[in-house]
Amino acid sequence: MFNFRDRPIRQKLVITTMVTTITALLLAGLGFILADSILYLSYLERDLSTLAQIVADNSTAALAFDDPASATQTLGALRARTHVDAACVYRADGTILAQYWRAGGFRFPPPEAQDLVRRGGELIVSRPIILKGRRTGTLMMFYNLGELAERIRLYGTTVVGVLLVVGLFAFPLSWRLRTVIATPISRLVSASTSVAETGNYGIRAQKLSGDELGVLVDRFNEMLAGIQSRDTDLKKALAEREAALRAAEEEHQRFHFMAESMPQKIFAAGPGGESIYLNRQWIEFTGLSFGQLKHWGWEQIIHPDDLEEGLRVWRHSIETGEPLQLTSRFRRADGVYRWHLNRARAMRNADGEITLWIGSSTEIHEQKEKEEELRRANEDLQQFAYSASHDLQEPIRNVAVYSEIMARRYRDKLDGDGLLYLSFLEEGGRRLARLINDLLAYTRASRAELSETTVDASVALRNALASLSEAMRETDAKVTYDPLPEVHMGEAHLQQVFQNLIGNALKYRNNASPRIHVSAAKRGAAWCFSVKDNGIGIEPKYKEKIFGVFKRLHHDQRYSGTGIGLAICQRVVERYGGRIWVESEPGEGSTFSFTVPHDESARRAKVQSVAS
Amino acid sequence: MAMQSQRRGRLSVPRLLALCISAYVGLLGSPASAAEGNLEYQVKAAFLLNFTKFIEWPPNAFANSSSPFAICILGNDPFGRALDDVVAGEAVGDRRLIVRRIDEAPAPQACQVVFIAANVKDLAKIMGGLAPGVLTVGEGDSFVREGGIIGFVIDNRRVRFDISPPAAERATLKLSSKLLSVARSVGK
């Protein structure tokens, strides 16, 4: 079908011009014919009315004296009007007085009441014949409108002729117009086409006129220039980007190689915790494919006993973003579970959102087994020490009791040497009893249940001072302390630590009376308590040693003791997830410090790290 | 139809003209009977009335502005009631139309139309004695030749009339050309 929308502009121009011209001419012609017809009809009506009036006037006498001949003669004058087909004079009663027709066989209808009627190509004029104010008859004239049709035909022919002539002129004119408008456009089109085909933005369209099309060409060229410069920039940017991509790819390959060649098992997980990368070591260790291990596939290789804890710790890290640290067993390809230490850290973007978790799992099975052996041996030893010290109490007490009885009852019977030996026996028994007691205290500190309650540290300190009141009086000691916080620790345990530290300070004093100060400060996730004295101080090389069991630096009689107090303190503090240490200069006094973690989770983490 | 018209008490001009057709038929037949004569005079009465519509009388034809328009019958009245019926209620201009029957030449301004019956003798004398402004109507071919203005004739069994414009001019009457066009002959 002919689709005007898709025609080239030059054809549109010609078609539009021609259609407009022809339509305008046709409409003008039609309007002219219509107006002429209307004008002609009204002229005709007026003319015929006048004619009818004259004939009617001339027929009054003929009617008055009933003279058909005269009336016929009057009507005969109408022969001069070619288009009057017929006429008739009716008497007042409707009968015909006289009639006239151009061609025979005209049948006259009864007189019309209406003045003017158009019927079947005839204009019928009806006029009353009035004599002295009285209607004496009617005149009717039948006018053939064929004349009008002739006129219209003539006009139509003229319009068609004019159309042909106009078309003859309009077509070349519109053809000329075509070159004025369509040529610049097709130049523009061919320019844009060659740009599109060659991709050469250096092409420019030629400007042919200063009108809107010229402006269009200018804008088109400016646009091309803009695109050209942007194209250059883009190519440069693309090259840079490609280089960057290549560098990134190399970097990626380096890291990939690094991850693959690590002895550890490396994994990467999304922010939701699903594994998205696992290195070769995982595949080799488990004997499973990446497809089986990815996302949460590790749940099937972790030891069922470690699964719950593993999920809990991993989820905690995902929610809080805290680094993951977890020991767990993974099943090897041969079905054997091996201990692993798993660590992971979150990678964050500029907004601080976690984008990736990178982690490693190191096999620590042998280490763990050794630790386990050691722990078991330690436990056995502690158990042995506890039972031994417990069981030894009775015989030792017997030794003490009976040597005392012997000294009392058989003093007179023993000679000097005997008494001396007896006193050695007594002294040895007492020391043994004290040793056993301290050993028991130490093993108890290791075994006692950790308290879940909190304690006001100042209460624990006051209790400790009360126990030491006698020694403080003897040494004229002054103990001061700052306001102390509440901490997660058993009251008896904290009191034990204070009592040991302050007791030591009283014991290892200078010649001056002891001055002791207790303070507490927040340090990270823990409270740090300090006990500062003005005693004899400790040489740096003994700083670690002094916390060992039965480690005594001074063996002279001035400083009595079994050397187990600091070991007990260390044991208690570490069991609560804290740490104990000393800062000292010989002769300048010592400051013993220990930490107590704030809350459960920190303590638990601490305990775990200590355990591993 | 004639019976119907008479029952209404008066014959209108159109109805009378319609009667004319039957009148010809009547005239066509055997010697005129009384009834047939009546029909002829009914037509003539209508013609008398119609003459007043095509002729203009000078103002001095009337005694004064309110005097009636009189149609006078001189001699034996051949119309019977026909003329009275035709004239009843009619007017010429503003003037009432009346019928008078007279025995001698009328006085000036007394009659505007004088119908001179066939039996009246000495026509020339009567007409010579008439004042201007009087239309004389008579019967027969000779009436116009003898100085009358309009003379009824029977032509081809129809009532027609001859007319003499010079006589009318002498009587200071203006004749409509239309009247002349329907006259059988127009005298010189």
Side-chain angles (χ1 to χ4, degrees), chain A residues 12-30 159-175 177:
Chain A
K12 276 185 186 160
L13 282 171
V14 172
I15 291 166
T16 311
T17 315
M18 292 308 289
V19 167
T20 311
T21 311
I22 289 168
T23 309
L25 268 172
L26 274 177
L27 284 177
L30 278 177
V159 167
V160 169
V162 170
L163 264 180
L164 283 175
V165 174
V166 165
L168 228 58
F169 282 98
F171 192 73
L173 263 177
S174 63
W175 202 258
L177 190 68

Side-chain angles (χ1 to χ4, degrees), chain B residues 15-43:
Chain B
R15 285 187 196 288
L16 267 177
L17 286 171
L19 282 173
C20 291
I21 298 158
S22 37
Y24 310 146
V25 176
L27 291 170
L28 189 84
S30 51
S33 63
E36 283 161 351
N38 262 345
L39 205 56
E40 181 192 333
Y41 279 94
Q42 277 173 5
V43 172

Side-chain angles (χ1 to χ4, degrees), chain A residues 325 577 599-612:
Chain A
Q325 178 155 317
D599 55 34
E600 192 77 0
S601 65
R603 201 168 73 198
R604 192 185 292 272
K606 220 42 175 253
V607 169
Q608 201 149 35
S609 76
V610 167
S612 60

Side-chain angles (χ1 to χ4, degrees), chain A residues 340-392:
Chain A
H340 284 76
L341 171 60
N342 309 295
R343 293 174 196 268
R345 289 178 69 85
M347 202 165 100
R348 291 169 191 272
N349 63 11
D351 298 334
E353 290 162 354
I354 293 171
T355 55
L356 193 69
W357 286 88
I358 296 287
S360 66
S361 297
T362 314
E363 195 174 313
I364 52 161
H365 195 77
E366 277 141 31
Q367 192 184 337
K368 185 86 180 175
E369 272 181 342
K370 276 185 194 128
E371 262 175 29
E372 190 65 16
E373 267 169 39
L374 203 61
R375 192 183 59 79
R376 241 177 268 127
N378 212 16
E379 246 173 38
D380 290 348
L381 194 64
Q382 274 187 20
Q383 182 61 37
F384 169 74
Y386 179 75
S387 354
S389 51
H390 194 266
D391 294 350
L392 281 174

Side-chain angles (χ1 to χ4, degrees), chain A residues 7 28 88 92 126 153 167 181 213 272-273 278 313 316 362 372 400 448 487 522 541 591 604 606:
Chain A
R7 297 275 113 186
C88 179
S126 160
R153 230 179 345 266
I181 293 171
L213 284 171
L278 294 158
V313 173
H316 175 79
T362 314
E372 190 65 16
V487 289
K522 219 169 201 176
K541 57 179 176 183
T591 303
R604 192 185 292 272
K606 220 42 175 253

Side-chain angles (χ1 to χ4, degrees), chain A residues 310-347:
Chain A
L311 282 172
R312 192 186 66 73
V313 173
W314 185 214
R315 282 193 184 125
H316 175 79
S317 287
I318 288 162
E319 279 162 23
T320 60
E322 287 172 12
L324 168 87
Q325 178 155 317
L326 170 75
T327 52
S328 62
R329 282 159 286 181
F330 288 122
R331 192 179 62 232
R332 208 163 53 189
D334 59 5
V336 176
Y337 284 96
R338 305 283 287 173
W339 279 103
H340 284 76
L341 171 60
N342 309 295
R343 293 174 196 268
R345 289 178 69 85
M347 202 165 100

Side-chain angles (χ1 to χ4, degrees), chain A residues 457-473 477-481 484 494-496 498-503 506 516-518 531:
Chain A
S458 55
V459 172
L461 178 63
R462 274 198 296 275
N463 290 345
L465 293 179
S467 311
L468 295 165
S469 55
E470 198 177 333
M472 284 167 66
R473 216 171 22 252
K478 283 278 185 300
V479 178
T480 56
Y481 56 90
L484 300 176
L494 187 55
Q495 183 187 337
Q496 197 173 20
F498 279 137
Q499 204 169 322
N500 274 314
L501 293 178
I502 294 168
L506 294 176
I516 301 163
H517 182 73
V518 180
V531 179

